[in-house]
Amino acid sequence: MKQATFVKCALGATAIALLAGPAAAEMELSFYSGWQTAPHSRLKGDYPGGGDYNALIGWDGKSFEMPPYYGVRGTWWRDERIGFGMEFTHTKVYAPDDEAAGIGFKNFEFTDGHNILTVNALRRWPDQWQGLTPYVGGGLGIAVPHVDAETTAGDKTYGYQLTGPAVRLIAGASYDISDRVAVFGEYQFVFSSNEGDLDGGGTFETVVKTNALNVGLSLKF
């Protein structure tokens, strides 16, 4: 119920962003990759067949291993300073092998994407520092990870799940290399609360917080 309500809120916010106010002055499509990490967080739940687990996990990001970390952002700039849009990020987290084994798993990963989709609002300050345009932003959305987990008893979970809400914070700067193309660098923090199911009747619960340093390219229309 909570997840369904959050999805409705996200879709409603998207509609408001697209319909409120005058037509967009500029559309910007941004692509990025970079270095993404995730600090420790607690992973807990119930095993398929009974019993529970609870441990602090030191997640690995492995940004540059396949599949790589990346993101795509679409922004409708209403004027020179204020923009709204949507963003998708393919983050990753792996439980280290010894820590997964310590709680009865052969592996526990969100590695074909701990996928984050948010509705964003952004504020920029055009051409402030020798052609650089700083910007900040934030977004609300959902986490849709690809859960890859196998217990030592052989119960395997492999597939996408809608696991809960997500919050995104952004701070960066862009530089125009032409009227239509810009490069940018930024910091992103993403918080997501995740509750899901393990095949065979188990559950999992964890908070994933990622920190990322991104570099990318924006196309303007």
Side-chain angles (χ1 to χ4, degrees):
M1 180 64 68
K2 291 181 179 179
Q3 292 173 352
T5 300
F6 200 88
V7 172
K8 290 178 182 178
C9 290
L11 293 175
T14 303
I16 292 171
L18 295 178
L19 298 176
E26 180 182 79
M27 168 65 183
E28 186 175 66
L29 189 60
S30 302
F31 306 89
Y32 59 83
S33 186
W35 181 49
Q36 170 247 310
T37 64
H40 290 65
S41 67
R42 193 157 293 278
L43 175 64
K44 59 185 179 180
D46 299 316
Y47 294 111
D52 58 18
Y53 58 93
N54 189 329
L56 190 65
I57 302 297
W59 301 105
D60 291 329
K62 301 183 182 180
S63 306
F64 305 112
E65 296 185 11
M66 294 299 292
Y69 161 76
Y70 67 89
V72 180
R73 178 169 62 238
T75 305
W76 289 265
W77 292 103
R78 298 302 196 186
D79 54 38
E80 288 189 348
R81 297 183 180 275
I82 303 298
F84 300 94
M86 297 188 70
E87 184 164 354
F88 169 82
T89 312
H90 178 95
T91 65
K92 304 184 300 174
V93 291
Y94 300 70
D97 290 342
D98 58 341
E99 296 181 14
I103 54 172
F105 287 88
K106 292 182 180 179
N107 66 286
F108 199 109
E109 308 170 356
F110 301 140
T111 51
D112 207 3
H114 183 262
N115 302 296
I116 303 295
L117 179 65
T118 60
V119 177
N120 295 345
L122 294 101
R123 171 72 156 85
R124 65 183 177 181
W125 292 265
D127 196 15
Q128 288 293 298
W129 308 318
Q130 303 295 319
L132 284 175
T133 295
Y135 58 87
V136 296
L140 297 174
I142 55 175
V144 189
H146 187 278
V147 183
D148 184 353
E150 184 176 1
T151 68
T152 53
D155 297 293
K156 186 172 179 62
T157 302
Y158 191 79
Y160 292 99
Q161 299 187 34
L162 172 61
T163 56
V167 177
R168 184 192 309 272
L169 299 175
I170 310 166
S174 65
Y175 182 82
D176 290 344
I177 57 178
S178 74
D179 290 341
R180 295 296 182 186
V181 180
V183 293
F184 65 90
E186 66 183 26
Y187 165 76
Q188 275 205 26
F189 171 79
V190 176
F191 172 97
S192 64
S193 179
N194 302 272
E195 297 182 20
D197 299 318
L198 300 176
D199 288 356
T203 63
F204 68 86
E205 180 180 342
T206 189
V207 168
V208 175
K209 295 171 284 187
T210 62
N211 297 284
L213 295 176
N214 300 328
V215 291
L217 182 74
S218 292
L219 305 177
K220 304 178 183 183
F221 304 94

